[in-house]
Amino acid sequence: MLSLTRDEALEFVDNRLAIKDAEKLFVKDRFLLLNELIVAFHNNIPFQTLTNLAVRPDIRHIPNFDEMKDDLFSGKGGMCIALNGFFHAVLLALGYNCYITAGRMWDNDIKSHAIIIVQNLRQTNDVFLVDVGLGYPTLNAVALDFELESPTVVELVWWGKIVRLPSENGKAEQCPYFSRMRKPRHPADMGKFGFGHREVADQWNNVYEFKLEPQSFEELRNIVDVNIYQNISHVLSRSLRLVQWKENRATIIINNHLMTEEEEGTFRYVLLETDKDIVDAVVHEFPVFEREFVENAIKQWRQLCRMQSC
């Protein structure tokens, strides 16, 4: 399991997330601290596929634990397994009662999305969803104590909610079963976000399904390695994506589109016409990445695109 010492977690929270006195805040109000950590994480750590694209397809592999730690401490971020895996380690080291579970994305049978479940946060036996690795914001811990569904909230360009699902095959479930769902607020713009093929206008779409049962991080890591990192046909292994919140406004690069949020859910779109435009945008908007590294990643990505016709 990816783990951190308490000193390492406090160093990350203090230096990278700029939250001071986390130990005192935990004692005073651990729920408030958790939501501050979530927002700060989104504002300082990007969801990105760049580091995977930079590796030649035939030698790609999921980062090992030390590489994940390096990428997170340096502010480079990564995909869901690194982001939620690392954030889970931070929460554990700070004293939260939490575990990793796995989500089944879209209509896929493979559980490949890492999710964090936090327990006993405000009172005994309460349960919350935490997800800092989906690639769009979940800016607070979501209580899962509702009977049918959570309140509907704004999630970037979608309406979002979590729904309690009926038991499978009519059998009683030991573990509650949920679906995270979203509906486009502006359906015509979905293609620009790289999700248009998955969205149905004016309809709630399943993003992932999950149960409240712990998942071995190492088992999940192996699943993600085979099905995403080494699978060059997977959308996350053949598309350029960088997403981060800066002062709680989204900055997004998907392939050759730069999108910057001006007001909540309102974006300015820039078409990046050349590879140099893409490199310039990445380096400017995500300065943690050096130009030479980005140029190599874009070169590798273009070679893969020629193979995949992406």
Side-chain angles (χ1 to χ4, degrees):
M1 171 179 283
L2 175 58
S3 63
L4 298 172
T5 66
R6 189 171 183 82
D7 286 343
E8 286 176 322
L10 289 170
E11 177 189 350
F12 176 79
V13 169
D14 191 339
N15 296 337
R16 179 55 60 183
L17 302 189
I19 294 178
K20 310 300 181 182
D21 298 322
E23 289 180 295
K24 293 181 181 179
L25 292 171
F26 180 86
V27 173
K28 183 179 180 180
D29 190 335
R30 67 184 65 185
F31 175 72
L32 178 62
L33 174 61
L34 176 58
N35 285 325
E36 289 183 1
L37 290 168
I38 291 169
V39 171
F41 193 94
H42 280 298
N43 274 283
N44 290 279
I45 306 295
F47 176 97
Q48 52 87 9
T49 63
L50 188 70
T51 50
N52 192 43
L53 291 179
V55 181
R56 207 173 66 231
D58 60 312
I59 58 172
R60 282 184 184 175
H61 66 281
I62 196 168
N64 60 41
F65 300 147
D66 288 336
E67 289 169 335
M68 288 183 184
K69 287 172 66 173
D70 288 345
D71 285 344
L72 272 294
F73 270 97
S74 68
K76 292 178 180 176
M79 290 193 271
C80 80
I81 190 72
L83 300 183
N84 278 328
F86 183 86
F87 196 62
H88 169 256
V90 170
L91 296 183
L92 272 181
L94 292 177
Y96 286 95
N97 183 339
C98 56
Y99 62 85
I100 290 283
T101 190
R104 188 170 61 215
M105 295 292 295
W106 304 105
D107 296 320
N108 200 316
D109 290 334
I110 300 171
K111 295 180 178 180
S112 60
H113 180 59
I115 310 163
I116 305 168
I117 301 298
V118 181
Q119 304 174 110
N120 306 320
L121 185 58
R122 308 191 79 174
Q123 60 188 30
T124 303
N125 296 326
D126 63 9
V127 183
F128 288 78
L129 169 79
V130 172
D131 189 348
V132 296
L134 188 56
Y136 68 90
T138 310
L139 294 174
N140 57 277
V142 182
L144 299 176
D145 59 354
F146 49 83
E147 184 176 350
L148 296 176
E149 62 182 52
S150 68
T152 297
V153 297
V154 173
E155 295 179 339
L156 196 60
V157 294
W158 298 274
W159 302 108
K161 65 181 179 181
I162 298 176
V163 175
R164 186 182 291 266
L165 297 175
S167 60
E168 295 176 309
N169 302 319
K171 297 180 180 179
E173 290 282 350
Q174 286 187 326
C175 299
Y177 193 34
F178 298 92
S179 170
R180 180 166 184 169
M181 307 189 80
R182 70 186 186 198
K183 180 169 68 172
R185 296 169 62 201
H186 311 289
D189 291 338
M190 285 300 97
K192 297 175 182 176
F193 286 85
F195 296 107
H197 63 294
R198 297 190 186 275
E199 307 289 346
V200 178
D202 300 319
Q203 179 174 311
W204 286 100
N205 302 279
N206 177 58
V207 181
Y208 59 73
E209 297 176 359
F210 65 98
K211 293 182 180 180
L212 297 184
E213 55 184 2
Q215 170 81 40
S216 162
F217 183 74
E218 293 201 22
E219 288 181 8
L220 180 56
R221 182 177 172 274
N222 291 335
I223 291 170
V224 173
D225 187 22
V226 172
N227 291 282
I228 298 179
Y229 281 81
Q230 295 186 42
N231 178 11
I232 61 174
S233 65
H234 193 283
V235 64
L236 293 179
S237 285
R238 57 182 174 83
S239 63
L240 175 66
R241 295 168 187 245
L242 299 101
V243 184
Q244 187 168 318
W245 275 257
K246 301 175 182 179
E247 299 180 353
N248 298 325
R249 288 288 183 263
T251 299
I252 303 171
I253 294 176
I254 296 184
N255 297 329
N256 62 339
H257 284 91
L258 167 64
M259 295 158 277
T260 51
E261 190 175 13
E262 297 179 327
E263 298 179 4
E264 186 178 75
T266 303
F267 284 81
R268 179 173 65 90
Y269 298 91
V270 176
L271 177 64
L272 306 173
E273 297 183 351
T274 69
D275 285 357
K276 181 179 183 301
D277 291 339
I278 296 174
V279 172
D280 289 345
V282 172
V283 172
H284 181 264
E285 300 294 344
F286 301 85
V288 67
F289 296 105
E290 296 181 357
R291 177 173 291 273
E292 183 178 355
F293 175 84
V294 177
E295 289 174 340
N296 176 66
I298 300 305
K299 180 180 178 181
Q300 293 288 347
W301 174 50
R302 288 304 190 193
Q303 291 175 350
L304 178 62
C305 280
R306 284 193 287 271
M307 294 168 51
Q308 293 283 310
S309 299
C310 57

